[in-house]
Amino acid sequence: MAFTPARIMLRSKYLPCRCLLLMIAVLSLLVACGNPSTPASTGATAQAHAQEIVFYNWAADMPQSVLDAFTKEYGVKIKYETYNDMEELSRNILAGKSYDVVVVANEHVPALVAEQRLAPIDFRNIPNFKNISANFRDLVYDQRNKHTVPYHWGTEALVVRDDLTGGQVTKWADLWNPRYAGKIGTRALPRDLVGIALLSLGYDFNSEQPEELEAAAQRLIELKPSLVFVDVSADSVVPKLLSGEIQILIGWAEDALDAQAQSQSISHVLPEEGAILWGDNFAIPAASPNKATAELFINFLLRPDISAQIVNEKLYATPNEAAMSFVQASLRDNPVIFPPNERIKNAHLMLALSSDGEKIYDSIWQRFMATGE
């Protein structure tokens, strides 16, 4: 599958004097102008493999078969620890807890780098980085990929029971329709929900304008009685859709595909105001005592067959260009996983916030969660 992104010019709050590109066909990530570069190495290590490394990731995000294959090939055990959201991951890394490989969302990378909590990556230990599409290298949140390796990406949109909603759900603002009260499923994702409230009001998804955020706070509080909080795992939330306990899910590709495989009444709606684009990355915490083995593990995950295995089992898009020929054709050609340009031309990237912005968003979330207690 060829990667032929459409491009939209944007300006980054972190690089005010440089042009940036929005790569939309593959992930729509902000990229510094110029040719994507290959990461510089800092010197390969000759450290012996550790007997065990700790992998910190979303629950049920990595196939156990992949972890077992790495252990079988290298004799290194993987201790798989999980978090429920990025805030939990950031808190634990900042607290100095020991992990060897972590999965970090794009927008959380700059803060962890600023706090010197992510180790520079020696790419001579990760030759399979060459498999990553140029569209995913040298991105604005980690130029020259000094601290991260792209893992996977996708959209956050609406998964809808058309037979129960009458097929009338087309935009984020529809979530505020009283007919769906108590029937909307969502994970407890602060940035996502505040951003959705902003979009429903016609504001920028990453707005830091106090008056716009106050309006979004009131809008989100208004929505709370309609929301049903669900677990991260698609296995636990899809049955709620199929039973009719919820009629709409603010969800991901895996949710939609799992539900569609069991019901013809499920549609995947990219809202008119624009879907949310997300991306995750592998990183090595600075406190890791097993950096060389962590890099060995990341290199293994970038092998085309292994990367494709993750797509085939977990149903998320990969930035690994070499893996595409190993991805099942039904998935490779599925617009839910790999949406075409025209379907995400108005999608929104989740950008890192300023420290003041973080405080405002956190305050909104605390108010929202306290409502009705």
Side-chain angles (χ1 to χ4, degrees):
M1 177 178 179
F3 289 81
T4 54
R7 297 180 176 184
I8 296 177
M9 303 303 295
L10 293 178
R11 183 177 299 274
S12 166
K13 68 179 73 175
Y14 294 102
L15 298 174
C17 297
R18 300 183 64 186
C19 292
L20 301 175
L21 303 175
L22 179 58
M23 299 302 185
I24 289 194
V26 184
L27 172 58
S28 299
L29 288 171
L30 291 172
V31 185
C33 282
N35 294 327
S37 59
T38 299
S41 296
T42 58
T45 62
Q47 176 181 332
H49 299 333
Q51 294 183 341
E52 181 181 80
I53 59 173
V54 180
F55 182 32
Y56 196 36
N57 190 11
W58 294 97
D61 189 67
M62 178 65 66
Q64 184 61 44
S65 59
V66 169
L67 304 181
D68 293 342
F70 177 76
T71 299
K72 181 178 180 180
E73 184 166 337
Y74 293 102
V76 178
K77 296 180 180 180
I78 303 293
K79 184 179 181 183
Y80 192 64
E81 297 191 4
T82 64
Y83 51 79
N84 292 313
D85 53 51
M86 278 291 125
E87 287 68 28
E88 181 182 352
L89 173 139
S90 294
R91 285 195 304 271
N92 286 335
I93 292 179
L94 292 172
K97 291 190 176 182
S98 181
Y99 310 107
D100 298 303
V101 178
V102 298
V103 172
V104 185
N106 301 338
E107 68 276 10
H108 285 260
V109 171
L112 293 173
V113 170
E115 294 289 335
Q116 299 183 334
R117 299 308 176 99
L118 298 183
I121 293 177
D122 185 346
F123 280 89
R124 284 182 288 184
N125 291 332
I126 309 180
N128 285 332
F129 185 83
K130 68 181 185 294
N131 297 329
I132 298 296
S133 168
N135 296 330
F136 289 85
R137 304 185 194 186
D138 198 24
L139 303 179
V140 70
Y141 62 85
D142 184 25
Q143 291 184 64
R144 296 186 62 80
N145 291 95
K146 293 179 181 178
H147 299 91
T148 63
V149 172
Y151 172 25
H152 56 195
W153 67 275
T155 59
E156 186 171 13
L158 298 173
V159 186
V160 181
R161 278 286 301 269
D162 283 337
D163 56 330
L164 299 180
T165 63
Q168 300 300 310
V169 178
T170 62
K171 52 187 181 293
W172 293 118
D174 289 333
L175 299 177
W176 279 263
N177 188 325
R179 68 178 291 187
Y180 307 127
K183 296 295 184 178
I184 301 169
T186 184
R187 280 89 177 186
L189 301 172
R191 278 295 306 277
D192 308 61
L193 291 176
V194 174
I196 288 169
L198 285 164
L199 290 175
S200 75
L201 293 167
Y203 299 139
D204 182 79
F205 178 76
N206 297 288
S207 176
E208 294 192 18
Q209 297 297 318
E211 64 277 9
E212 294 179 357
L213 286 171
E214 178 56 33
Q218 296 299 327
R219 180 82 159 154
L220 191 57
I221 289 171
E222 178 188 340
L223 183 64
K224 189 174 183 181
S226 295
L227 298 178
V228 176
F229 287 99
V230 298
D231 293 336
V232 170
S233 171
D235 291 340
S236 66
V237 67
V238 168
K240 296 180 184 296
L241 266 175
L242 299 178
S243 70
E245 180 180 345
I246 60 175
Q247 299 176 4
I248 303 171
L249 172 66
I250 301 172
W252 304 309
E254 183 185 14
D255 301 317
L257 294 171
D258 191 353
Q260 288 176 338
Q262 302 178 66
S263 172
Q264 296 182 347
S265 300
I266 303 293
S267 66
H268 182 247
V269 177
L270 298 180
E272 294 174 6
E273 304 97 330
I276 302 167
L277 289 172
W278 58 267
D280 282 341
N281 308 268
F282 297 118
I284 301 172
S288 168
N290 305 304
K291 184 171 181 289
T293 308
E295 289 167 342
L296 177 73
F297 179 51
I298 293 173
N299 190 61
F300 174 81
L301 295 174
L302 296 189
R303 280 184 4 194
D305 58 327
I306 298 299
S307 184
Q309 183 178 345
I310 297 171
V311 177
N312 291 336
E313 292 195 33
K314 293 310 204 181
L315 310 181
Y316 289 122
T318 178
N320 191 322
E321 194 165 30
M324 295 306 293
S325 61
F326 295 90
V327 174
Q328 295 172 13
S330 60
L331 302 181
R332 188 173 64 241
D333 300 332
N334 192 313
V336 174
I337 304 176
F338 295 97
N341 285 6
E342 61 271 17
R343 295 197 65 196
I344 54 173
K345 62 184 178 181
N346 64 338
H348 304 274
L349 299 165
M350 189 177 294
L351 303 177
L353 299 170
S354 68
S355 58
D356 288 342
E358 289 279 5
K359 292 176 183 177
I360 298 175
Y361 274 70
D362 182 64
S363 175
I364 291 173
W365 186 251
Q366 297 304 322
R367 288 166 57 191
F368 168 74
M369 293 302 292
T371 300
E373 289 185 353

